[in-house]
Structures are given as structure tokens and as C-alpha cells.
Amino acid sequence: ADAAASWPPAAAIGPLQDALAKAAALGITDGNDVDAAKDAIAAAERIAALAAEGEGVQPRRKAAAKAAEEWQVARKVESLREEGEKVISQRAEGAQKLQAYVKETRASSIVGDWADADGMLCRLKADGTVLVPPSRGSGGAWKLTNEDGFGASVEITLALAQTTRNGVPAGNREHTLRGSVASGTMTGTVETTMFGSVARGDLELTKM
């Protein structure tokens, strides 16, 4: 009876088996006490088996719960990464569009016809060439020397018609125009070489 009341039940199996062995040695192999002891052993073995199975289930449940938690964290991190990449891509696309808009606006402010106080002086083309009316000289080329937002600085090389003091045409002489373009105007300097020396003057052109 003391063995059958032991806890945990697995602790009762050994003493009960010893008790049955002693009883058998005395010639007692059946009866209510023997049957009760055998039933107690069987019950204790079942309980011990269930307990062992339960001990294995609990760690598996904890491992499964931990794995599920780690998966949720990993999925959240992945979702945040994807969202971050999406935002970066949208910002990059926006920056590219803005850059293209600024470039197009800047180009449109430069390319076209420009005039001085005497009328049309030159036409700046998108391919970098410069056209000049025959009465004003001959064409040349232009290039960007600086870019600043929507504004820019350019250098223009062309040949301007020259006349003598008496108004007689004296051919064309190469000039270099350097100016900043903003709000439809080009201001800067005009340079040319005369008699081995550099002559410089102010530049002020208006977009036509």
C-alpha cells in the first residue's frame, strides 16, 4: 500500500515488483492484493510513459513557438526592407525626373536666338554649333562652362563682322563671348585680339 501511494508513480514500480517477488517466494501468486499490485504497476507504467511523452512535447512546443516568433520577426524585417527599397526607388526616380527637368529647362534657356542692341547676333543650337547672320559675321561653336541649378555659364566662339572707321567692311574677326544665362539674358564679357593685344568689353544679350 505504501509503494502504491508513492509519487511520482514511477517510484512505485520497483517496490511493488519486489513485493510481488517476496509474495511469490512465500507461495502467494494470486489474490486481491496480488492483482491490486499488478494493476498498480501497470497504471504506474502508463503514467510514467505519458509523463515521458509530455516531457518531450513541452520542449517541442517551446521550440515551435520560438521558431514561429523568429519567423514573424524575420518577415517583419523583410517587409521593412522591401518598404525601404521601395521608398529609395521612388526617391531615386523622383530625383532623376527632377534632374532631367532641370537639364531640359536649362538647355531651353540657352538654345535659341540671341540679340544685342543692333538686333539678332547669333543662334545657339543644341548640338553646340553657333549660327550668325551673314551681315553680322560667321558662325562658330558654344559650350557649357558651369551649371548652377536652372542657370548656366557658356562660352561662345564666333567671328563678328568688322568695319573701318569709314564704315567699310573689314572682314570678320574671331571673338569669344563668356556669359552667365539667367531669366532670358546673357551677361559677361567679349574678348578679341587686335594688333597682338586682347581687347575686352561688356556682354549683354537678350533671348529673342
Side-chain angles (χ1 to χ4, degrees):
D2 291 339
S6 299
W7 190 264
I13 296 176
L16 286 171
Q17 289 175 338
D18 291 342
L20 287 175
K22 291 178 181 180
L26 296 173
I28 303 172
T29 57
D30 56 14
N32 292 336
D33 291 337
V34 173
D35 293 339
K38 291 179 178 180
D39 291 340
I41 290 173
E45 289 175 343
R46 287 196 300 271
I47 292 173
L50 291 173
E53 182 179 353
E55 290 176 356
V57 169
Q58 189 64 19
R60 288 196 294 271
R61 287 181 177 174
K62 289 183 178 179
K66 183 178 180 182
E69 183 179 357
E70 290 176 350
W71 180 85
Q72 290 176 349
V73 171
R75 188 68 189 91
K76 185 175 182 179
V77 171
E78 178 66 15
S79 178
L80 291 173
R81 184 187 66 79
E82 292 175 354
E83 186 65 23
E85 289 180 350
K86 183 178 179 181
V87 171
I88 292 174
S89 177
Q90 290 174 343
R91 289 181 177 177
E93 183 179 357
Q96 289 176 350
K97 289 182 178 179
L98 177 60
Q99 186 177 11
Y101 172 74
V102 171
K103 184 176 181 179
E104 181 180 350
T105 302
R106 186 168 53 232
S108 66
S109 69
I110 299 173
V111 174
D113 296 342
W114 291 89
D116 59 9
D118 296 325
M120 179 178 174
L121 176 66
C122 61
R123 173 176 295 171
L124 305 186
K125 301 185 65 175
D127 62 1
T129 59
V130 179
L131 303 180
V132 176
S135 61
R136 301 298 305 270
S138 59
W142 71 275
K143 63 180 180 181
L144 278 173
T145 56
N146 186 44
E147 298 175 334
D148 182 16
F150 291 98
S153 296
V154 297
E155 180 178 294
I156 305 170
T157 302
L158 43 68
L160 297 180
Q162 305 296 299
T163 58
T164 65
R165 294 179 179 178
N166 298 325
V168 177
N172 300 331
R173 180 182 294 120
E174 184 174 293
H175 287 66
T176 300
L177 286 57
R178 297 184 179 90
S180 299
V181 179
S183 302
T185 61
M186 184 186 303
T187 55
T189 61
V190 181
E191 293 183 358
T192 189
T193 301
M194 299 178 62
F195 308 110
S197 299
V198 176
R200 182 179 294 107
D202 294 332
L203 172 69
E204 185 172 350
L205 301 179
T206 304
K207 188 82 175 290
M208 298 181 67

